[in-house]
Amino acid sequence: MPFASWPLFLSASLCLSVSSVSNAVAAEPIFDELRFGVSASLSRGNSHESGIFPSATIFFDPLSSGTATTWQQTILEPRIYLGASVGTGDGVDQIFGGFSWTADITSRLFVELGLGGTVHNGKLDGSNGKGPDLGCRLLFREQIALGYRVTDNWQILATADHSSHANLCDGPNDGLSHAGLAIGYKF
């Protein structure tokens, strides 16, 4: 299967898994949250990616971060996430994962920080002239979101993410930067 097909395959698998697992395991869900979003490139010049970036992310909570009562417990009990984003136009496809921490501002408003990595299908050096030159296939990935809990299950988020190799690889390091909106469903 070509690399470009993997994000679509992962997104479809996540949707099918969630529907079958939610029916089979009603009392103790495996997944903590399923999130769908869309974003656009923040980069300028030759590093800009045209098009939009639909994404799907699934969150797991094996450390029970939702029951943390102190900020120390919150830091030590992150959620784990796995997701994919598909680049339309000349955008880069990504499969990403990492750890996520949430801090409540109010009972409905919250901030989320995520740290992890991504694998992409973008170009590594300046061979094509358009789009970011990323230097290596595996990049660090940071994300931040400001969210609002509409109900106990549904939330909307303003999101931003950045991926780069932090000058740890040879070659260029234009990076990938996106901002957008997402909707999440907590089980």
Side-chain angles (χ1 to χ4, degrees), residues 11 25 29 31-32 38 45 49 55 60 63 65 102 120 134 153 160 167 179 183-184:
S11 298
V25 186
F31 308 123
D32 184 54
V38 64
E49 302 167 88
S55 64
F60 306 88
L63 303 173
S65 66
T102 302
H120 66 87
L134 301 171
N153 297 101
N167 294 323
I183 185 165

Side-chain angles (χ1 to χ4, degrees), residues 90-103:
D90 65 357
V92 175
D93 301 326
Q94 298 181 67
I95 297 173
F96 52 85
F99 298 97
S100 173
W101 295 267
T102 302

Side-chain angles (χ1 to χ4, degrees), residues 92 120 122-125 132-136 139 165 172-176:
V92 175
H120 66 87
K123 58 187 179 118
L124 302 180
D125 57 29
D133 298 325
L134 301 171
C136 57
L139 304 174
H165 63 66
N173 187 21
D174 290 343
L176 302 169

Side-chain angles (χ1 to χ4, degrees), residues 51-123:
I52 60 169
F53 299 85
S55 64
T57 309
I58 193 150
F59 290 81
F60 306 88
D61 194 10
L63 303 173
S64 300
S65 66
T67 61
T69 57
T70 66
W71 67 268
Q72 294 94 337
Q73 285 178 320
T74 302
I75 290 172
L76 295 174
E77 299 172 357
R79 294 191 302 166
I80 298 169
Y81 65 89
L82 177 64
S85 93
V86 179
T88 63
D90 65 357
V92 175
D93 301 326
Q94 298 181 67
I95 297 173
F96 52 85
F99 298 97
S100 173
W101 295 267
T102 302
D104 290 337
I105 298 171
T106 68
S107 62
R108 297 230 181 249
L109 194 63
F110 62 95
V111 175
E112 180 180 271
L113 173 68
L115 299 172
T118 188
V119 177
H120 66 87
N121 68 346
K123 58 187 179 118

Side-chain angles (χ1 to χ4, degrees), residues 3 15 31 36 96 104 129 146:
F3 183 84
C15 291
F31 308 123
F36 294 99
F96 52 85
D104 290 337
L146 177 63

